Amino acid sequence: PDPPEGGWGWVVMLAAMWCNGAVFGIQNSCGVLFVSMLQLFGGDEDKQLAFKTAWVSSLSMGIVFFCSPIVSIFTDLFGCQKVAVIGAAIGFAGLLSSSFVSTIEPLYFTYGVLFACGCSFAYQPSLVILGHYFKKRLGLVNGIVTAGSSLFTVSLPFLLRVLIDSVGLYNTLRVLCIFIFILFLAGFTYKPLVSNAKDKEGGKKGKFRFRPEKKICNFSVFKVLSYRIWALGIPAALFGYFVPYVHLMKHVRDRFGDSVPEEVLLLCLGITSGVGRLIFGRVADYIPGAKKVYLQVASFFFIGLMSMMIPLCHIFGGLIAVCLFMGLFDGCFICIMAPIAFELVGAQDVSQAIGFLLGFMSIPMTFGPPIAGWLRDHLGTYDVAFYLAGVPPLIGGAILCFIPWVHERQKLKERAKPIDGETTEKMLENESTMVSDTTEKPVKEMESGF
């Protein structure tokens, strides 16, 4: 059946919005937590402190994406609701246990693995469920949902700064547990729509059967050449993507001292990212097929350029302008991920297509910030790190340029040859209708036609 385009879907949209906000609001505000961890766990004698501390944030963001292929399989087997609820419960346990550690090392597991793993299981079903309730408005709805994380990215840095200054890092993490508990409740809204006839029959017989292995791990998405290029180009672009989120706060401290409110930069990123998601989400609805990819190409070009401009800003106002532009195109890149996946592989395979892509994205997003931290420890400045962080988005954007052309060629090939019996049947039906139409015409016309 066609998606209802509303109804209970609006409730699902709000729940998915909270999910995006809670998960990525906390992840994107890690710059504030990073500075606090440096002060709490650091000592002057530790020369690799930025490198070691950066692993907590980048490992957390990396695991969110690394778990995605596994989450896709679980989502296909058990449905969005169960996976999201269990994921939120795991995330809650991880975040709560992070508030009881006394050194940096346990945080690698409690915050970097356990909390992030829970976030991943809670986050991905929120992307998949939207495609069940919306089709025509999917771009707009994705824009609204992903804008949720921008609202949190705008407000959380200030909240975290106030909380850390007044109650300390540990109690701040406990306050964040409330956000994850609400996420746990939001997961219950992901009601599945009417299942197909086969599922109903299986339910009557009282049997639960796993799908065959080929279906559980659906590698058929990699047969689509345009998807393969997409799954290569996006991770290639992301080696430098997460570096500003982790290190920008510390860079501002190093360059301007305590004289400027560095949280304003995350505020600028968050606001324009939200605006970008709403605008480009709507724009994507008007761009046909795989040509939506050109929006991602443009966004990567500007993200790379803005990252390279960070070290060139010697006044705080310049950094604000850079962050405003970076946020706008960051919003563009994020909000059209799901619509592009639907275009390239179709609704049937979209869950695992997104899962595999997010899994590939985990590698560059995990290793980028620690490399930047290592450069800072050895060079004494973040300048080289930010220059290098701007190169991968330009390369990734260049790779993505080929997708619309490749996708069109694939579609033309598919149209040229009937793939299975079903298409041949349709052709025969068309022929028969054409014949019946001609018989209705006058005999003279028919004879002349023959």
Side-chain angles (χ1 to χ4, degrees):
D2 288 331
E5 300 290 343
W8 183 255
W10 297 118
V11 178
V12 172
M13 183 194 78
L14 291 173
M17 187 167 134
W18 181 273
C19 174
N20 268 260
V23 170
F24 287 106
I26 294 171
Q27 297 288 356
N28 292 342
S29 303
C30 63
V32 180
L33 297 174
F34 178 77
V35 173
S36 178
M37 286 174 192
L38 285 173
Q39 292 169 345
L40 186 64
F41 300 117
D44 295 329
E45 70 282 350
D46 194 343
K47 299 296 180 192
Q48 285 196 310
L49 188 61
F51 173 71
K52 289 199 288 193
T53 312
W55 272 108
V56 178
S57 306
S58 60
L59 189 65
S60 178
M61 185 61 104
I63 290 289
V64 168
F65 294 121
F66 182 73
C67 290
S68 294
I70 304 158
V71 180
S72 298
I73 294 167
F74 277 88
T75 305
D76 283 352
L77 285 175
F78 303 109
C80 294
Q81 190 182 59
K82 289 176 184 172
V83 173
V85 168
I86 291 168
I90 294 169
F92 181 85
L95 194 57
L96 190 62
S97 55
S98 298
S99 67
F100 293 100
V101 302
S102 54
T103 58
I104 197 84
E105 285 77 15
L107 281 173
Y108 293 149
F109 175 70
T110 58
Y111 188 90
V113 176
L114 199 61
F115 169 62
C117 191
C119 285
S120 183
F121 273 75
Y123 162 66
Q124 203 179 324
S126 75
L127 287 182
V128 176
I129 195 72
L130 292 172
H132 295 188
Y133 282 89
F134 297 93
K135 188 177 180 183
K136 291 176 187 172
R137 296 172 176 164
L138 188 60
L140 174 65
V141 168
N142 263 292
I144 295 169
V145 166
T146 52
S149 63
S150 300
L151 292 173
F152 279 70
T153 306
V154 166
S155 52
L156 265 182
F158 295 97
L159 177 64
L160 291 175
R161 173 58 57 215
V162 170
L163 286 170
I164 287 168
D165 290 343
S166 55
V167 297
L169 178 65
Y170 295 136
N171 285 323
T172 300
L173 292 174
R174 286 164 200 155
V175 170
L176 290 177
C177 287
I178 298 167
F179 288 74
I180 304 300
F181 180 72
I182 297 170
L183 174 57
F184 170 78
L185 299 177
F188 286 102
T189 64
Y190 299 166
K191 289 198 300 187
L193 294 172
V194 181
S195 55
N196 57 37
K198 284 182 183 176
D199 290 344
K200 286 180 183 173
E201 283 171 25
K204 282 176 189 174
K205 289 172 188 172
K207 292 178 182 176
F208 178 79
R209 291 184 298 166
F210 281 104
R211 299 183 190 191
E213 189 182 339
K214 192 170 72 176
K215 289 285 183 184
I216 291 175
C217 250
N218 188 7
F219 292 110
S220 64
V221 290
F222 290 104
K223 290 177 184 174
V224 181
L225 179 59
S226 53
Y227 175 76
R228 290 206 302 272
I229 297 170
W230 197 50
L232 171 71
I234 298 280
L238 293 182
F239 268 99
Y241 170 80
F242 198 44
V243 170
Y245 284 100
V246 175
H247 294 289
L248 189 57
M249 300 293 99
K250 187 73 174 72
H251 170 71
V252 173
R253 279 274 173 97
D254 290 350
R255 179 162 287 187
F256 301 103
D258 293 330
S259 60
V260 293
E262 65 263 31
E263 291 86 8
V264 170
L265 297 177
L266 286 181
L267 172 72
C268 295
L269 274 170
I271 288 175
T272 51
S273 183
V275 171
R277 291 167 200 213
L278 290 170
I279 292 171
F280 290 110
R282 191 63 183 144
V283 168
D285 286 339
Y286 293 103
I287 297 176
K291 288 181 181 174
K292 293 179 175 68
V293 170
Y294 288 132
L295 287 175
Q296 282 192 328
V297 173
S299 65
F300 281 136
F301 175 77
F302 280 101
I303 286 169
L305 208 60
M306 292 303 113
S307 188
M308 289 175 171
M309 289 182 72
I310 289 171
L312 301 174
C313 296
H314 293 283
I315 56 168
F316 192 62
L319 272 179
I320 288 175
V322 163
C323 288
L324 287 171
F325 275 103
M326 189 179 270
L328 188 70
F329 289 100
D330 167 72
C332 172
F333 152 64
I334 288 168
C335 78
I336 55 172
M337 290 268 285
I340 289 172
F342 272 94
E343 290 292 346
L344 297 184
V345 300
Q348 196 67 31
D349 298 324
V350 75
S351 171
Q352 298 215 8
I354 291 173
F356 285 125
L357 178 71
L358 296 179
F360 294 141
M361 283 165 60
S362 69
I363 298 163
M365 292 183 82
T366 302
F367 288 102
I371 291 169
W374 180 83
L375 288 168
R376 160 69 179 79
D377 288 333
H378 284 76
L379 301 174
T381 172
Y382 278 113
D383 289 5
V384 174
F386 283 120
Y387 286 134
L388 292 176
V391 175
L394 301 178
I395 296 169
I399 294 170
L400 295 183
C401 284
F402 294 100
I403 290 174
W405 177 71
V406 169
H407 192 65
E408 279 303 311
R409 283 193 64 189
Q410 279 178 320
K411 283 168 81 174
L412 286 170
K413 277 184 186 176
E414 282 170 17
R415 284 174 197 156
K417 54 177 182 179
I419 297 162
D420 52 18
E422 200 176 312
T423 50
T424 352
E425 274 173 35
K426 282 179 185 173
M427 287 171 70
L428 289 169
E429 274 175 34
N430 291 341
E431 276 182 33
S432 64
T433 51
M434 282 169 70
V435 171
S436 64
D437 286 347
T438 52
T439 52
E440 284 170 16
K441 291 179 181 179
V443 179
K444 283 181 184 176
E445 272 186 38
M446 191 171 73
E447 282 174 1
S448 65
F450 276 118

